[in-house]
Amino acid sequence: MGNLPAEFEQFHWMVDMVQNVDLGLVVIDRNYHVQLWNGFMTHHSGIQSHDAIGKPIFDLFPEIPQEWFKLKTKPVYDLGCRSFITWQQRPYLFKCRNVRPITQQADFMYQNITLNPMRTTTGEIRSLFLSVQDATAEALVVLNQK
């Protein structure tokens, strides 16, 4: 049997990292219901995790084009491969306020999104997780050069 106290401590470290990493982490199931909503997402969207979990992502963010987003998730669910949404393709997936003082010239947070499959112990993909990176500073540099 493993070292239970150490495994328990590592579990708590993982939970702490997920909640405090400077990256949005969102888990959605195949019906697009939110399963996980980390601290970054709460801070930037203003939506508390207890208000997001269990709700369809499209109810929380009605500006997300449903058919387009479903097409983006299809290869993740069907083939188990990653999919990407860059700020150049679409400035944001989740309309979040820009909270960085240096880049206040933007009305919203530009985002780079990675959609990743989540496999069960049997290899089935029932959920995916989105990592949301704040790309506002990068976007403003590029946009201000035009």
Side-chain angles (χ1 to χ4, degrees):
M1 191 149 141
N3 185 348
L4 193 57
E7 289 172 12
F8 190 67
E9 186 173 26
Q10 285 183 344
F11 172 76
H12 280 278
W13 288 346
M14 293 296 286
V15 170
D16 198 35
M17 285 188 291
V18 164
Q19 285 306 320
N20 294 299
V21 68
D22 195 27
L23 191 70
L25 296 174
V26 178
V27 174
I28 58 172
D29 65 17
R30 283 185 175 262
N31 295 316
Y32 302 94
H33 288 81
V34 174
Q35 304 296 304
L36 179 128
W37 189 260
N38 79 338
F40 177 99
M41 293 303 295
T42 295
H43 177 68
H44 290 280
S45 72
I47 300 171
Q48 298 294 319
S49 63
H50 63 266
D51 293 326
I53 292 173
K55 304 255 179 21
I57 199 76
F58 305 116
D59 287 1
L60 298 169
F61 294 90
E63 68 273 10
I64 298 173
Q66 289 191 33
E67 292 310 310
W68 170 83
F69 186 66
K70 288 175 180 178
L71 281 173
K72 285 300 230 179
T73 64
K74 191 168 174 37
V76 181
Y77 283 126
D78 294 351
L79 304 173
C81 62
R82 287 175 150 183
S83 184
F84 302 92
I85 304 167
T86 66
W87 69 265
Q88 293 98 330
Q89 293 170 320
R90 182 177 171 81
Y92 58 82
L93 181 63
F94 303 106
K95 184 146 191 189
C96 293
R97 60 188 185 266
N98 176 27
V99 296
R100 294 188 185 250
I102 297 166
T103 57
Q104 281 305 319
Q105 56 264 50
D107 294 332
F108 54 85
M109 179 202 307
Y110 288 82
Q111 299 162 3
N112 287 328
I113 313 278
T114 305
L115 295 83
N116 303 276
M118 295 186 73
R119 296 184 189 281
T120 64
T121 53
T122 60
E124 187 182 355
I125 301 168
R126 291 190 195 153
S127 301
L128 62 80
F129 81 90
L130 298 98
S131 58
V132 181
Q133 179 188 14
D134 182 350
T136 307
E138 171 196 342
L140 290 177
V141 167
V142 172
L143 294 172
N144 289 332
Q145 289 175 350
K146 291 184 178 181

